[in-house]
Amino acid sequence: MAHNNNNSLFVTINYELSSDNERTKILSDETTKLLSIILQYGISPAIAVIGLVFNTFSIIVLYKNGFHKCSNILLFSLAFLDINFLIGYNNIPMLLYSIDGNFRFLYSESSSFLLYVFYYFFYIMNYAQGLAALCIPMFITIERLVAVFIPLKFGLIITPLRTWIVVACLDIFWIGTMTYTCFWYKFDYVFDQSLNRTVGIILFSDLFFKDLDGIPIFEEMFYTLKIPPLVTIVGCAAIVVKVKITSQKRRKMSSSKTKTSNSKTTKILLVLCIGYIMACSSLAAISYLPYRITTMEPTNIATIGSYVLCIVYSCNSSWNFLVYIALNKNFRDTFKEIFMKPCGKILKKDLN
């Protein structure tokens, strides 16, 4: 029995194509495997390393600035979730299973089982943390909507404690959901006639077949993920209109060009949300590839296309630090104080 192998959000791959697929494929199996190795063993880890460094910087700086502002809590949570997603996305046991082993673990039984366990550990990190991260920009947008439209009641509606609770509940929900789906699969160590040796494989478990009637419920959960991007788009549009109207009124009342802290925060979060919307668009584009990649028989071009689009999405989990540095003077100053000044002193000592 075949098993859908998840290497990133909404992605499955299978190199064993049907006869119809053989006649219509654009890329050969050899080219597909070579490109898969380049993308998954080269480009994807490189982006992940950059993202891990940048998000770590963001976490340190945001922690230094404190969490009295709810926006800092949301940005801190987003950076934390992005780190976990980037680690989970680069699922080494999955690569050993799907690309190197052609959907087999080619090791001893104990080693194969250990890889199977870590396969699903990274699977949970990838899906649970990635799906939670997809929802954070929606909460950022809601927080900004309240700050822009009803600023006088902002402190009563949005509080640091409530923000932490919302983020924690979101993370716990997706971790619990994706952990449960892991039990739909089981490990088996069987003899493979084509290789003339025993190999580890992943099969559907009895629980999967018992849950067949309930699987549509899980599918509905994933369909609800269309809501965060829609809320973000509509919310960003409303914020832009409101900010422009407010700015025009202020210019009429005063000649001052000083920007308030609230407007700076709004600008930063708008830029983040725009990047997020573009990243979500890359995920949505996967469904338009030939032979939907979520089926058991994607074409080779769909396999490579899905990798490219998911790498585009993973870039969104890596670049937020650059936005903070470029648009937030307070963030930039704190970063210099923590990292640049000590480095400067060390260089001075070395030169002397």
Side-chain angles (χ1 to χ4, degrees):
M1 186 177 298
H3 169 251
N4 277 11
N5 297 281
N6 305 285
N7 92 300
S8 66
L9 291 175
F10 319 122
V11 178
T12 58
I13 61 172
N14 191 337
Y15 290 115
E16 300 171 357
L17 304 176
S18 65
S19 58
D20 290 336
N21 197 0
E22 288 289 337
R23 290 193 293 269
T24 59
K25 65 186 178 184
I26 298 174
L27 295 173
S28 67
D29 290 343
E30 293 77 15
T31 303
T32 299
K33 188 162 187 177
L34 176 61
L35 290 174
S36 297
I37 291 172
I38 293 171
L39 292 170
Q40 295 302 101
Y41 281 96
I43 296 175
S44 179
I47 293 172
V49 169
I50 293 171
L52 292 175
V53 172
F54 281 177
N55 281 304
T56 300
F57 283 157
S58 295
I59 284 177
I60 294 171
V61 173
L62 290 166
Y63 178 81
K64 176 73 173 178
N65 285 337
F67 301 125
H68 57 282
K69 292 174 64 177
C70 296
S71 57
N72 280 359
I73 296 173
L74 292 172
L75 295 178
F76 178 91
S77 301
L78 182 60
F80 175 79
L81 293 171
D82 280 341
I83 285 176
N84 290 333
F85 163 72
L86 289 169
I87 293 172
Y89 175 81
N90 291 274
N91 188 339
I92 294 176
M94 184 283 302
L95 297 177
L96 294 176
Y97 182 75
S98 62
I99 296 180
D100 290 359
N102 196 22
F103 299 99
R104 308 174 185 89
F105 285 122
L106 306 177
Y107 310 97
S108 66
E109 184 173 5
S110 58
S111 297
S112 295
F113 180 75
L114 186 63
L115 286 170
Y116 163 78
V117 172
F118 278 102
Y119 178 114
Y120 280 101
F121 173 77
F122 287 113
Y123 163 90
I124 292 171
M125 288 185 68
N126 174 27
Y127 270 74
Q129 304 296 270
L131 293 170
L134 276 174
C135 298
I136 295 295
M138 178 180 68
F139 294 131
I140 291 174
T141 305
I142 293 172
E143 189 262 356
R144 284 296 91 194
L145 284 169
V146 176
V148 169
F149 282 90
I150 43 178
L152 297 179
K153 295 184 178 180
F154 178 84
L156 297 175
I157 300 172
I158 309 291
T159 66
L161 178 60
R162 289 174 185 173
T163 304
W164 281 119
I165 291 173
V166 168
V167 171
C169 289
L170 174 71
D171 202 21
I172 291 170
F173 170 78
W174 282 116
I175 289 174
T177 300
M178 299 317 302
T179 299
Y180 179 83
T181 63
C182 290
F183 293 100
W184 284 348
Y185 309 104
K186 65 180 181 180
F187 172 83
D188 200 2
Y189 201 66
V190 299
F191 184 79
D192 188 313
Q193 291 183 347
S194 63
L195 298 177
N196 194 32
R197 56 168 293 184
T198 50
V199 297
I201 60 173
I202 300 173
L203 304 173
F204 287 119
S205 68
D206 293 337
L207 179 63
F208 174 82
F209 296 103
K210 289 180 181 178
D211 284 351
L212 277 177
D213 293 336
I215 286 178
I217 297 175
F218 285 89
E219 292 176 348
E220 288 297 325
M221 286 185 195
F222 287 98
Y223 292 147
T224 60
L225 290 172
K226 296 177 182 178
I227 296 174
L230 291 174
V231 171
T232 302
I233 292 171
V234 175
C236 285
I239 290 170
V240 168
V241 172
K242 178 63 175 177
V243 168
K244 284 187 175 181
I245 293 173
T246 303
S247 297
Q248 288 175 354
K249 288 181 178 179
R250 283 178 180 168
R251 278 198 293 269
K252 290 179 181 179
M253 295 174 63
S254 172
S255 60
S256 175
K257 296 182 179 179
T258 304
K259 293 183 179 179
T260 64
S261 174
N262 189 52
S263 66
K264 290 179 181 178
T265 303
T266 300
K267 183 179 179 180
I268 293 169
L269 299 181
L270 281 175
V271 173
L272 293 181
C273 289
I274 290 170
Y276 160 77
I277 292 167
M278 293 171 63
C280 288
S281 299
S282 71
L283 285 182
I286 291 176
S287 63
Y288 294 98
L289 292 171
Y291 282 74
R292 285 194 64 189
I293 199 69
T294 49
T295 67
M296 293 301 290
E297 296 178 351
T299 60
N300 288 344
I301 192 67
T303 297
I304 299 304
S306 70
Y307 282 148
V308 172
L309 291 171
C310 284
I311 285 174
V312 170
Y313 177 81
S314 68
C315 289
N316 182 64
S317 299
S318 306
W319 77 306
N320 291 341
F321 168 79
L322 300 178
V323 177
Y324 307 151
I325 285 289
L327 300 179
N328 191 321
K329 186 179 183 301
N330 185 39
F331 186 96
R332 189 163 56 247
D333 291 342
T334 305
F335 176 77
K336 289 178 180 178
E337 181 185 344
I338 297 174
F339 297 103
M340 303 302 287
K341 286 184 179 180
C343 290
K345 290 178 181 179
I346 293 171
L347 286 173
K348 270 187 176 181
K349 287 181 180 179
D350 290 340
L351 291 172
N352 294 331

